[in-house]
Amino acid sequence: MTIGKSNRQFRKKGRKQKADPFLKKVWYDVKAPNIFRETQIGKTCVNPTGGGKTSEQQLDKRMFEVSLGDLNKDERKAYMQFKFRVEHVSGTNCFTNFYGMRLTNDKVQSLVVKYHTLIEAVVNVKTTDGYTVRIFCIGFTKKDRNQVKKTCYAQSSQVREIRRRMVNIMIKESNCTLKELTLKLISESVPKEITKQCQSVFPLQNVYLRKMKVLKTPKVDVDTILKLHGFETKKKKETGKKVNRKKKRGGNKKKKN
């Protein structure tokens, strides 16, 4: 033992264990509109009310992306990713609305083929209920059945004509509400119409609406959001009681001589 050192044993100070931050979180159910088979998207967590912000304010405008294969329980359409945004919070439920759609990267990459012409079209449209939407369309030329030639390229004039018809069909089909436009995306009726209308110019294959995003949204009432989720809201008409007005008795007017 060296001189000048004490015999006391010092205890090492242990570090404080940090509490799990997820224990304080509040969990909410995320609901999709009732046009899909599966309306329960999943769950999301948020910090409890505090610091000048309520949990409802923190959840407002939160985005979720779900595959159409999970929403409609159809694995064949798993390549379509739908985007939803929270519009209203009630209790422990977050009611969302459609906010966009895109094809997965592996699906788009599988469509690209050599010796074919790729044709794309983009258009901004406005629905009847006030939503401004941008739609992207993609298509590829198709070989004839008995074609011997290796390549299948379209002329520039044919590409312009096909693109013009794509834009016109997308504008025509979007002259509806956002709910009806979402149903057209699910059924893929717009690409089928484009393939049919462009057949006389040049045969097409693998025509898809590659992407769709909402640019501007109008002010939406809570009742309209609840109607999308199957809730009926009846507005009571204000009825007032009839009031019998008393006739004013006029004074005796003196006749002028």
Side-chain angles (χ1 to χ4, degrees):
M1 180 178 172
T2 55
I3 301 170
K5 287 191 175 181
S6 62
N7 299 331
R8 290 182 298 174
Q9 294 179 354
F10 295 95
R11 293 181 181 178
K12 294 182 180 179
K13 293 182 179 180
R15 294 180 181 178
K16 293 182 179 179
Q17 292 183 354
K18 293 183 179 179
D20 189 3
F22 277 88
L23 295 175
K24 297 181 180 180
K25 300 279 186 182
V26 183
W27 292 86
Y28 286 80
D29 295 325
V30 185
K31 301 287 185 179
N34 63 348
I35 57 176
F36 302 98
R37 290 183 183 176
E38 186 66 37
T39 57
Q40 177 72 24
I41 295 176
K43 288 182 176 289
T44 185
C45 61
V46 69
N47 291 325
T49 302
K53 265 193 175 184
T54 61
S55 56
E56 287 80 8
Q57 290 175 344
Q58 297 176 46
L59 286 169
D60 193 27
K61 312 303 180 189
R62 185 175 284 193
M63 309 292 291
F64 299 94
E65 195 174 52
V66 191
S67 170
L68 184 61
D70 296 332
L71 289 168
N72 279 352
K73 296 180 179 180
D74 187 4
E75 294 181 358
R76 293 173 297 177
K77 293 190 177 182
Y79 57 86
M80 297 177 74
Q81 296 286 331
F82 277 72
K83 193 179 286 186
F84 300 93
R85 189 173 77 167
V86 177
E87 299 290 346
H88 177 64
V89 180
S90 177
T92 57
N93 295 324
C94 298
F95 297 103
T96 62
N97 195 7
F98 173 79
Y99 200 71
M101 186 275 299
R102 69 175 182 87
L103 298 183
T104 55
N105 293 333
D106 58 338
K107 177 65 176 178
V108 177
Q109 291 166 6
S110 67
L111 297 175
V112 180
V113 189
K114 287 197 299 183
Y115 310 119
H116 290 71
T117 303
L118 186 151
I119 304 166
E120 281 189 300
V122 185
V123 65
N124 292 350
V125 295
K126 192 171 185 179
T127 59
T128 54
D129 50 355
Y131 289 87
T132 304
V133 184
R134 182 172 291 166
I135 307 174
F136 300 79
C137 183
I138 191 172
F140 299 86
T141 54
K142 182 182 178 181
K143 287 184 179 181
D144 293 331
R145 289 182 179 178
N146 301 323
Q147 182 175 336
V148 181
K149 191 178 179 181
K150 187 178 182 180
T151 59
C152 181
Y153 296 126
Q155 297 178 357
S156 58
S157 59
Q158 291 174 327
V159 171
R160 286 195 298 269
E161 179 63 23
I162 290 170
R163 190 177 289 116
R164 186 184 66 81
R165 293 192 182 190
M166 281 180 173
V167 171
N168 291 338
I169 292 168
M170 286 190 288
I171 292 171
K172 181 183 176 182
E173 294 292 332
S174 60
N175 190 19
C176 57
T177 61
L178 187 67
K179 181 180 178 180
E180 293 171 351
L181 187 59
T182 309
L183 289 170
K184 289 179 182 179
L185 284 175
I186 297 169
S187 62
E188 295 184 351
S189 61
V190 181
K192 291 175 184 177
E193 184 66 21
I194 291 170
T195 307
K196 183 180 177 181
Q197 294 292 333
C198 297
Q199 187 73 23
S200 59
V201 182
F202 203 103
L204 295 179
Q205 64 178 352
N206 296 331
V207 180
Y208 291 95
L209 294 182
R210 181 177 62 85
K211 190 176 181 181
M212 178 177 166
K213 57 183 179 180
V214 179
L215 301 178
K216 290 182 182 179
T217 56
K219 290 184 179 179
V220 184
D221 298 332
V222 178
D223 295 337
T224 56
I225 296 298
L226 294 176
K227 282 180 182 178
L228 289 172
H229 292 265
F231 295 96
E232 294 183 0
T233 55
K234 295 181 180 179
K235 293 184 178 180
K236 295 181 180 180
K237 294 182 179 179
E238 295 181 0
T239 55
K241 295 181 180 179
K242 291 184 178 180
V243 178
N244 295 325
R245 294 183 178 179
K246 294 181 180 180
K247 295 181 180 180
K248 293 182 180 180
R249 294 178 181 178
N252 296 328
K253 293 182 180 179
K254 295 181 179 180
K255 295 181 179 180
K256 293 181 180 180
N257 294 329

